[in-house]
Amino acid sequence: MAVLRYTLLRALVFVIIAALLWLVGLRGLVLVALGLVLSGLVSFFVLRGSRDQVSIAWDRRLRTIRERTAAEDAWDDEQRARTDADVDAEGRPPRDA
Protein backbone atom coordinates (compact mmCIF):
# COMPACT_ATOMS: atom_id res chain seq x y z
CA MET A 1 0.00 0.00 0.00
CA ALA A 2 2.88 2.37 0.68
CA VAL A 3 4.03 2.15 -2.95
CA LEU A 4 0.54 2.86 -4.28
CA ARG A 5 0.09 5.79 -1.89
CA TYR A 6 3.45 7.29 -2.85
CA THR A 7 2.74 6.85 -6.56
CA LEU A 8 -0.63 8.55 -6.26
CA LEU A 9 0.89 11.42 -4.27
CA ARG A 10 3.62 11.87 -6.90
CA ALA A 11 0.99 11.95 -9.65
CA LEU A 12 -1.05 14.48 -7.67
CA VAL A 13 1.97 16.73 -7.21
CA PHE A 14 2.65 16.54 -10.96
CA VAL A 15 -0.96 17.39 -11.84
CA ILE A 16 -0.95 20.39 -9.50
CA ILE A 17 2.38 21.68 -10.85
CA ALA A 18 1.26 21.11 -14.46
CA ALA A 19 -2.01 22.94 -13.80
CA LEU A 20 -0.11 25.90 -12.36
CA LEU A 21 2.23 25.93 -15.35
CA TRP A 22 -0.75 25.75 -17.70
CA LEU A 23 -2.29 28.77 -15.97
CA VAL A 24 0.99 30.61 -16.50
CA GLY A 25 0.70 29.89 -20.22
CA LEU A 26 2.96 26.93 -20.90
CA ARG A 27 1.70 24.27 -23.28
CA GLY A 28 2.79 21.02 -24.92
CA LEU A 29 6.11 19.32 -24.35
CA VAL A 30 7.54 22.26 -22.41
CA LEU A 31 4.67 21.99 -19.92
CA VAL A 32 5.22 18.25 -19.44
CA ALA A 33 9.02 18.48 -19.20
CA LEU A 34 9.05 21.39 -16.78
CA GLY A 35 6.18 19.81 -14.84
CA LEU A 36 8.16 16.60 -14.39
CA VAL A 37 11.29 18.42 -13.24
CA LEU A 38 9.49 20.74 -10.83
CA SER A 39 7.22 18.01 -9.44
CA GLY A 40 10.29 15.85 -8.86
CA LEU A 41 11.94 18.62 -6.87
CA VAL A 42 8.81 19.35 -4.85
CA SER A 43 8.22 15.64 -4.20
CA PHE A 44 11.79 15.21 -2.98
CA PHE A 45 11.10 17.52 -0.08
CA VAL A 46 7.35 17.19 0.50
CA LEU A 47 7.03 13.40 0.19
CA ARG A 48 10.12 12.40 2.19
CA GLY A 49 8.08 10.47 4.79
CA SER A 50 6.13 8.55 2.16
CA ARG A 51 9.33 7.77 0.27
CA ASP A 52 10.88 6.38 3.46
CA GLN A 53 7.83 4.16 4.00
CA VAL A 54 8.17 2.82 0.45
CA SER A 55 11.83 2.08 1.08
CA ILE A 56 10.98 0.16 4.24
CA ALA A 57 8.24 -1.78 2.45
CA TRP A 58 10.59 -2.77 -0.39
CA ASP A 59 13.28 -3.77 2.10
CA ARG A 60 10.85 -6.06 3.94
CA ARG A 61 9.65 -7.60 0.68
CA LEU A 62 13.19 -8.25 -0.57
CA ARG A 63 14.20 -9.73 2.79
CA THR A 64 11.23 -12.12 2.62
CA ILE A 65 12.18 -13.17 -0.93
CA ARG A 66 15.80 -13.76 0.12
CA GLU A 67 14.70 -15.87 3.10
CA ARG A 68 12.39 -17.98 0.94
CA THR A 69 15.10 -18.45 -1.67
CA ALA A 70 17.61 -19.51 0.98
CA ALA A 71 15.11 -22.02 2.42
CA GLU A 72 14.41 -23.44 -1.05
CA ASP A 73 18.15 -23.70 -1.77
CA ALA A 74 18.71 -25.54 1.51
CA TRP A 75 15.89 -27.95 0.68
CA ASP A 76 17.33 -28.54 -2.81
CA ASP A 77 20.79 -29.18 -1.34
CA GLU A 78 19.32 -31.66 1.13
CA GLN A 79 17.50 -33.52 -1.62
CA ARG A 80 20.63 -33.59 -3.76
CA ALA A 81 22.68 -34.94 -0.83
CA ARG A 82 20.13 -37.71 -0.26
CA THR A 83 20.22 -38.63 -3.94
CA ASP A 84 24.03 -38.65 -3.94
CA ALA A 85 24.07 -40.87 -0.84
CA ASP A 86 21.83 -43.36 -2.63
CA VAL A 87 24.30 -43.74 -5.49
CA ASP A 88 27.07 -46.30 -4.93
CA ALA A 89 30.78 -45.75 -5.53
CA GLU A 90 30.54 -46.77 -9.21
CA GLY A 91 27.96 -44.15 -9.93
CA ARG A 92 25.01 -46.51 -10.21
CA PRO A 93 21.94 -46.51 -8.01
CA PRO A 94 21.75 -49.43 -5.56
CA ARG A 95 20.02 -52.59 -6.81
CA ASP A 96 16.78 -53.67 -5.23
CA ALA A 97 17.14 -57.29 -4.13
Side-chain angles (χ1 to χ4, degrees), residues 2-3 8 23 25 30-31 37 56 60 62 66 73-74 82 89 91:
V3 175
L8 291 175
L23 289 173
V30 173
L31 173 99
V37 170
I56 291 168
R60 284 185 195 142
L62 290 175
R66 285 187 201 117
D73 287 347
R82 285 184 184 177

Side-chain angles (χ1 to χ4, degrees), residues 56-68:
I56 291 168
W58 276 107
D59 184 51
R60 284 185 195 142
R61 178 69 179 141
L62 290 175
R63 188 176 309 134
T64 301
I65 290 171
R66 285 187 201 117
E67 288 170 358
R68 286 182 187 169

Side-chain angles (χ1 to χ4, degrees), residues 12-88:
L12 181 63
V13 169
F14 172 74
V15 168
I16 291 170
I17 297 289
L20 291 173
L21 292 174
W22 186 79
L23 289 173
V24 170
L26 294 177
R27 303 288 188 271
L29 187 59
V30 173
L31 173 99
V32 173
L34 194 56
L36 287 172
V37 170
L38 291 176
S39 69
L41 289 171
V42 169
S43 295
F44 182 75
F45 295 105
V46 174
L47 301 178
R48 177 174 286 149
S50 294
R51 189 173 54 250
D52 291 342
Q53 289 175 356
V54 169
S55 177
I56 291 168
W58 276 107
D59 184 51
R60 284 185 195 142
R61 178 69 179 141
L62 290 175
R63 188 176 309 134
T64 301
I65 290 171
R66 285 187 201 117
E67 288 170 358
R68 286 182 187 169
T69 302
E72 289 173 3
D73 287 347
W75 184 84
D76 287 342
D77 292 343
E78 181 182 328
Q79 296 303 314
R80 189 173 294 117
R82 285 184 184 177
T83 302
D84 291 345
D86 291 342
V87 176
D88 68 4

